Amino acid sequence: MSIDAIDITKDFDGFVALKSVSLSVNRGELLALLGPSGSGKTTLLRIIAGLEWPDAGDVRIEGKSVLRVNARERGVGFVFQHYALFRHMTVFDNVAFGLTVRTRHLRPSKADIAKRVHELLELVQIERLVKRYPSELSGGQRQRVALARALAIEPIVLLLDEPFGALDAKVRKELRRWLRRLNEETGMTSIFVTHDQEEAMEIADRVVVMSQGRIEQIGKPAEIYENPANPFVCEFLGSANRIPLTWADGKMAHPAIDLDAITVRPALVGAENIYVRPHDIDMVKDAAGVGTVRFLSVVGPIARVDVEVAGLEKPVEVDMPAHRLTRAGIEVGAPVRLTAVKGHVY
Amino acid sequence: MIPGFGLTLGLTLMWLSLIVLIPLSGLVLKAATLGFSGFFDTIFTARVLASLKLSFGLSLIAAAINLVLGLLIAWVLVRYEFPLRRILSAMVDIPFALPTAVAGIALTSLYAPNGPLGFLFGLIGLKIAFTPLGILVALIFIGLPFVVRTVEPVLADIDQATEEAAACLGATRFATFRRIILPAILPALLTGFALAFARAVGEYGSVIFIAGNLPMVSEIAPLLIVIKLEEFEYEQATAIAVAMLLASLALLFLINVLQAWGRKRQGTG
Amino acid sequence: MNRDPLPIRILLIALAFLVMALLIGLPLITVFAQALSKGWGEYVLALLDKTTLSAIRLTLITALISVTVNLVFGVMAAWAIAKYEFRGKSFLLTLIDLPFSVSPVIAGLVFVLMFGLQGWFGPALQGTGIKIIFALPGIVLATMFVTFPFVARELIPLMQEQGTEDEEAAVSLGASGFQTFFLVTLPNIKWGLVYGVLLCNARAMGEFGAVSVVSGHIRGKTNTMPLHVEILYNEYNFTAAFAVASLLALLAFVTLAAQSLLEWKKGHA
Ligand SMILES: Nc1ncnc2c1ncn2[C@@H]1O[C@H](COP(=O)(O)OP(=O)(O)O)[C@@H](O)[C@H]1O
Ligand SMILES: [Mg+2]
């Protein structure tokens, strides 16, 4: 189902958590809401689910406003950040809950419920835990129960609030790929919240970047990575060196870093800064260079180098393949010359 | 290892024995001198049976009423913000802190036929003070905090998200209460119920003023013990006391079981 | 947390206030209204009566002795239970709690059975001229019985929560057991200790049933304040009865106010 949030504003006793947020989610899409903590992601998700009401704006599912429909009748599957499993119920009863609370004429028979629960537990690969209580499960297993429980009611859309946030790295990777597959196989429109850009980039069809109650950019992962709309998005998606610019004859320059390889659109002429990612900088040893290597660390195949440059407050971060580092004879204290090959000007 | 284990545990056991255990065993020993038949002959007299029935029956009713009232007050205190909430919360502890004799005479003068509430109830033909109903009022008074204070922390501990999860899964407010909230607080509710019941069974001070103390009608078991003592019928007093003590121990055991169940249910979920 | 619809919220809050007002508010008001019904002059006069003053004195002495003793042993019990692991610990806890579930009347009865004329040690005592029952020692013993758990109960969870690391550190630095307790443990538990003492004191001063059984009700000699309230009330001297009762009610207020203060302090620590 398609979801539209239109001009949503939400005010918590004077604190504006969402400011005219508009968003359209296409049928079958897997969308990531990405942003730092406190940016309003959860609030937006809760408004879509009917757990919170906006002060202004509208929420439409398949084009129909659902603001008069409460959470109970909205038929939205919601996976809570800390799972919110029912502690006194077994895994089976947790998953069956949404079916057993239906009014009599809509409730499946006991046998049908059992069959459905087992199918779901198979889907999330924890059939053998059916009789356990939540306290007897690991974090990843709890998350799977929460997913199965939300799916039991055959929701029209699936909303997940930081679904993998509390899991360790390995389980997290496994579960997010599983979510991607689920979305592909069922075609269920899904929105998930995350503050981890890698997670969003890896599995989402489109990413919505939020900050301070506003949407900063919406787009495909590659799109927003290649063309971040503003400095916030640029810096949030990965580290970037901010380099102040001087302009002469419509050409930008920096006294210490060579920017000649980069061309800018005429509209951006006169902008204050360029943001250059660490791996978009070429570094060579050069006795006449104005940079000095201050710090150097090799993490697997990548060498991370901090270069002190006169006139810049922070050292410039440079990433380069580790094998090139030794070949270029770069070491702490070495003088270097920097050339930016790509950057974002704002 | 921190020093003092032998000393503190030894003195604790000694003191516990001197003040609590030996005196209580004295009671049991005294009862033993009666023999089984002596014990049962004493218990199975109409007056003693009536008093036990009254004490246990009314305590049960009072605890049941406290279950409902206590849940209401705990619910309101935990879930709502409103003016005077702190005052209301502080008032809950009054029955714990107010000496029972004070509660007794205050309730009596309120519910006596010439007291303000007694007069009002009189208009609808209800006599409260000096009848079993009066005893019930006193027992509700002293039992109320037990349910409130045991349920409150458990209710506060319920994760709001679980209720929202239930709503998203299609549960009505009532279904959420019945299937999520009630099972979560049930051990605490029953513990509070048992504590209120145990306290009510043994209660003396707040009851004797309002009870009327008519043999066979409004004479509670603890009062009968006192009366037997004053008549120097030590054996009979002992027999009644032992019967009550056994009931208390059974209740204590039940309360421990309930609390263990509650801890399990509250488990890290 | 406004999860329930407004009308339901208002209804439940109103009900809670109604219950608390009827059950607890009105009796409290009654105590003071009756005490002052004939004006401040009569009130003060009732309190300055010779037998009233002697009841106050007896209550203070009783509370002083029993609270002090229970304080010392409560701390020891808490130390032994919280700082060490040993078998039978939970059974010991149950035993310490036992007085809570014994009817106060039985608490008095056990001492009559021990030290009364027909009691186990009665004949032996008679020769020595020491009087326990119907005298101060009996009153103190009965009071100690009913207030036995208060201090320990308050301290045990607190000391368990704080673990043993601090003490182990102190001991490893060469502190003796007493130094460890007074310099390390005591500062950590002082507020819990104060609270336990307050509760213990409130109960000691207000105890009615247990003391009533052992006191003998000798006016001006073995009457504590609650017993004095009873006598005055039964003599239809309501103003004086409620005047003494109002002092006890004030004691309850002070205890609860101190409790709120300590909780507030804990929250802001
Ligand atoms: N119920 C609430 N009452 C008051 N403030 C809230 C409430 N819910 C969220 N907020 C505030 O709104 C902002 C956005 O919160 P949230 O949507 O949870 O952010 P995110 O999920 O992106 O971390 C936060 O500053 C938070 O403190
Ligand atoms: Mg959030």
Side-chain angles (χ1 to χ4, degrees):
Chain A
M1 304 260 173
S2 68
I3 305 169
D4 296 284
I6 299 162
D7 260 341
I8 303 272
T9 294
K10 177 70 190 177
D11 183 320
F12 288 114
D13 302 322
F15 177 84
V16 186
L18 292 174
K19 299 163 200 163
S20 311
V21 166
S22 293
L23 173 68
S24 292
V25 191
N26 303 322
R27 211 174 287 186
E29 195 171 27
L30 178 58
L31 188 92
L33 289 184
L34 174 67
S37 154
S39 55
K41 309 178 297 288
T42 298
T43 306
L44 181 56
L45 208 63
R46 289 170 59 83
I47 287 174
I48 295 171
L51 293 170
E52 207 89 68
W53 261 257
D55 295 307
D58 198 6
V59 176
R60 296 187 191 155
I61 295 180
E62 283 293 280
K64 273 209 249 34
S65 173
V66 290
L67 283 190
R68 293 179 164 280
V69 183
N70 61 28
R72 180 161 60 85
E73 290 149 349
R74 230 175 256 196
V76 164
F78 200 105
V79 176
F80 289 82
Q81 190 170 359
H82 302 291
Y83 322 132
L85 296 181
F86 307 135
R87 291 178 191 178
H88 59 279
M89 292 186 196
T90 59
V91 167
F92 182 95
D93 291 331
N94 263 283
V95 177
F97 184 86
L99 301 174
T100 55
V101 291
R102 287 193 183 159
T103 51
R104 189 150 309 176
H105 62 280
L106 292 175
R107 193 188 311 152
S109 72
K110 267 214 163 101
D112 286 343
I113 291 178
K115 189 159 154 276
R116 176 101 184 99
V117 170
H118 282 285
E119 281 168 13
L120 284 161
L121 291 179
E122 207 170 316
L123 182 70
V124 295
Q125 300 157 357
I126 48 168
E127 305 121 279
R128 70 209 152 76
L129 304 176
V130 62
K131 289 200 180 108
R132 297 262 189 102
Y133 283 90
S135 58
E136 301 161 345
L137 302 177
S138 72
Q141 291 167 341
R142 286 179 201 177
Q143 182 59 278
R144 289 167 197 265
V145 177
L147 276 162
R149 183 178 70 178
L151 293 174
I153 57 166
E154 292 173 20
I156 52 173
V157 295
L158 186 60
L159 307 177
L160 308 101
D161 192 359
E162 311 230 3
F164 316 121
L167 304 176
D168 54 49
K170 193 163 161 285
V171 182
R172 192 168 167 150
K173 274 213 161 111
E174 193 181 309
L175 267 175
R176 74 186 184 218
R177 300 217 167 117
W178 179 89
L179 177 66
R180 174 76 250 180
R181 273 205 311 282
L182 178 80
N183 175 262
E184 277 162 9
E185 282 163 20
T186 61
M188 189 178 346
T189 311
S190 313
I191 305 179
F192 75 101
V193 162
T194 178
H195 60 255
D196 176 351
Q197 89 276 7
E198 192 190 318
E199 195 166 283
M201 296 301 202
E202 184 179 328
I203 64 170
D205 292 317
R206 282 193 304 153
V207 176
V208 178
V209 184
M210 295 185 66
S211 155
Q212 297 184 11
R214 289 182 196 283
I215 292 181
E216 301 286 346
Q217 190 172 8
I218 305 181
K220 295 206 164 75
E223 231 169 71
I224 58 172
Y225 192 78
E226 290 302 321
N227 295 306
N230 54 42
F232 172 81
V233 177
C234 181
E235 291 194 299
F236 193 71
L237 293 183
S239 48
N241 297 295
R242 181 165 62 91
I243 297 161
L245 297 173
T246 54
W247 292 85
D249 303 334
K251 277 187 74 71
M252 60 183 175
H254 182 269
I257 300 165
D258 183 352
L259 301 171
D260 294 346
I262 305 168
T263 49
V264 289
R265 285 181 284 129
L268 290 171
V269 168
E272 270 178 52
N273 295 301
I274 183 166
Y275 290 77
V276 185
R277 299 210 181 279
H279 57 260
D280 287 333
I281 299 181
D282 265 348
M283 174 166 60
V284 290
K285 194 170 175 181
D286 182 349
V290 283
T292 313
V293 174
R294 279 290 164 231
F295 176 79
L296 191 155
S297 76
V298 178
V299 183
I302 302 287
R304 327 214 64 179
V305 185
D306 283 1
V307 180
E308 194 176 275
V309 175
L312 284 185
E313 270 172 48
K314 283 202 269 177
V316 175
E317 277 180 44
V318 181
D319 285 358
M320 64 194 297
H323 62 90
R324 273 182 44 202
L325 187 78
T326 17
R327 234 190 300 146
I330 290 170
E331 61 212 1
V332 173
V336 290
R337 181 159 50 84
L338 303 176
T339 308
V341 295
K342 207 174 138 202
H344 306 287
V345 176
Y346 304 105
Chain B
M1 189 68 179
I2 310 163
F5 177 62
L7 178 77
T8 52
L9 186 64
L11 283 175
T12 301
L13 288 177
M14 187 192 86
W15 191 240
L16 179 70
S17 306
L18 281 179
I19 292 297
V20 179
L21 300 182
I22 294 176
L24 280 177
S25 353
L27 175 74
V28 177
L29 277 181
K30 180 83 181 175
T33 63
L34 298 177
F36 269 104
S37 61
F39 180 76
F40 285 112
D41 286 348
T42 312
I43 296 295
F44 287 107
T45 58
R47 188 172 171 193
V48 173
L49 275 185
S51 78
L52 287 172
K53 227 168 83 187
L54 187 74
S55 275
F56 282 90
L58 286 178
S59 299
L60 208 60
I61 299 173
I65 292 172
N66 276 331
L67 198 67
V68 178
L69 298 183
L71 176 58
L72 166 75
I73 288 160
W75 182 276
V76 165
L77 284 178
V78 168
R79 302 202 143 211
Y80 306 146
E81 273 305 326
F82 52 93
L84 304 182
R85 199 184 71 89
R86 293 186 65 87
I87 304 261
L88 194 73
S89 174
M91 275 172 74
V92 171
D93 283 326
I94 292 278
F96 276 158
L98 194 70
T100 52
V102 178
I105 61 170
L107 288 171
T108 310
S109 75
L110 265 178
Y111 286 95
N114 58 356
L117 290 180
F119 176 76
L120 283 179
F121 280 109
L123 293 180
I124 56 167
L126 212 56
K127 199 164 172 295
I128 293 188
F130 318 125
T131 73
L133 272 184
I135 304 177
L136 191 64
V137 169
L139 295 183
I140 295 172
F141 174 88
I142 52 126
L144 185 68
F146 290 95
V147 179
V148 179
R149 292 301 182 222
T150 45
V151 170
E152 231 182 334
V154 184
L155 199 56
D157 196 42
I158 294 178
D159 185 1
Q160 190 186 341
T162 59
E163 288 170 54
E164 291 175 347
C168 287
L169 293 167
T172 58
R173 195 172 294 283
F174 178 71
T176 306
F177 178 76
R178 198 175 65 81
R179 301 212 26 206
I180 307 297
I181 300 175
L182 206 53
I185 62 173
L186 190 64
L189 268 176
L190 293 180
T191 305
F193 174 86
L195 285 169
F197 179 65
R199 171 73 200 262
V201 166
E203 180 56 21
Y204 179 69
S206 60
V207 174
I208 52 159
F209 296 97
I210 202 170
N213 306 330
L214 221 60
M216 308 293 295
V217 178
S218 55
E219 183 179 65
I220 55 168
L223 175 66
L224 196 52
I225 296 178
V226 174
I227 291 173
K228 293 295 179 191
L229 268 182
E230 280 168 0
E231 293 168 351
F232 299 103
E233 301 275 11
Y234 283 22
E235 280 79 12
Q236 295 189 19
T238 305
I240 306 168
V242 166
M244 291 185 63
L245 194 62
L246 289 178
S248 301
L249 291 182
L251 272 172
L252 193 65
F253 179 73
L254 176 73
I255 290 166
N256 275 327
V257 170
L258 285 171
Q259 280 171 336
W261 178 35
R263 275 194 298 274
K264 192 166 158 238
R265 180 157 280 195
Q266 263 199 298
T268 48
Chain C
M1 281 214 286
N2 297 334
R3 286 169 285 188
D4 300 328
L6 191 63
I8 292 187
R9 257 185 287 158
I10 291 177
L11 178 74
L12 293 182
I13 291 171
L15 272 177
F17 270 107
L18 184 71
V19 168
M20 293 300 276
L22 278 180
L23 208 54
I24 290 169
L26 275 184
L28 278 183
I29 294 171
T30 304
V31 171
F32 292 96
Q34 294 270 14
L36 295 171
S37 60
K38 292 191 184 140
W40 285 95
E42 282 283 323
Y43 179 79
V44 173
L45 229 67
L47 293 183
L48 291 181
D49 178 79
K50 223 175 73 207
T51 53
T52 302
L53 287 176
S54 100
I56 293 176
R57 192 167 56 241
L58 182 62
T59 291
L60 290 176
I61 294 172
T62 307
L64 186 70
I65 301 174
S66 44
V67 171
T68 311
V69 173
N70 276 337
L71 168 65
V72 171
F73 283 91
V75 169
M76 295 225 187
W79 179 273
I81 286 175
K83 303 286 175 193
Y84 308 98
E85 284 307 321
F86 55 92
R87 284 181 48 152
K89 190 155 136 172
S90 61
F91 185 62
L92 180 60
L93 266 175
T94 308
L95 287 182
I96 288 177
D97 272 348
L98 199 57
F100 275 154
S101 33
V102 173
S103 171
V105 169
I106 297 179
L109 169 68
V110 293
F111 291 105
V112 174
L113 291 181
M114 294 258 286
F115 302 115
L117 272 183
Q118 301 180 33
W120 299 104
F121 302 111
L125 280 172
Q126 215 169 11
T128 65
I130 299 173
K131 240 184 131 183
I132 291 184
I133 297 307
F134 304 150
L136 179 66
I139 295 174
V140 171
L141 279 174
T143 306
M144 277 199 266
F145 182 103
V146 293
T147 57
F148 188 81
F150 280 94
V151 177
R153 258 293 140 193
E154 202 55 41
L155 289 185
I156 289 168
L158 201 65
M159 280 168 76
Q160 274 174 338
E161 197 179 304
Q162 279 163 354
T164 54
E165 275 178 29
D166 290 7
E167 284 80 10
E168 277 159 0
V171 171
S172 74
L173 292 171
S176 73
F178 283 101
Q179 284 172 322
T180 306
F181 175 74
F182 283 104
L183 298 177
V184 177
T185 310
L186 194 59
N188 281 335
I189 59 167
K190 59 174 185 257
W191 295 121
L193 197 70
V194 170
Y195 186 39
V197 165
L198 280 172
L199 284 181
C200 187
N201 178 64
R203 182 68 196 268
M205 290 192 171
E207 179 50 34
F208 180 74
V211 172
S212 158
V213 171
V214 295
S215 123
H217 305 266
I218 308 164
R219 209 178 173 131
K221 283 225 172 74
T222 62
N223 261 345
T224 61
M225 285 167 76
L227 298 181
H228 195 53
V229 168
E230 181 194 21
I231 291 190
L232 291 171
Y233 190 83
N234 287 343
E235 287 169 349
Y236 300 102
N237 191 350
F238 293 142
T239 313
F242 278 104
V244 180
S246 74
L247 288 186
L248 290 168
L250 283 177
L251 170 72
F253 285 150
V254 170
T255 307
L256 291 182
Q259 175 194 359
S260 301
L261 196 71
L262 290 178
E263 251 161 35
W264 183 81
K265 243 193 158 92
K266 214 164 65 188
H268 291 248

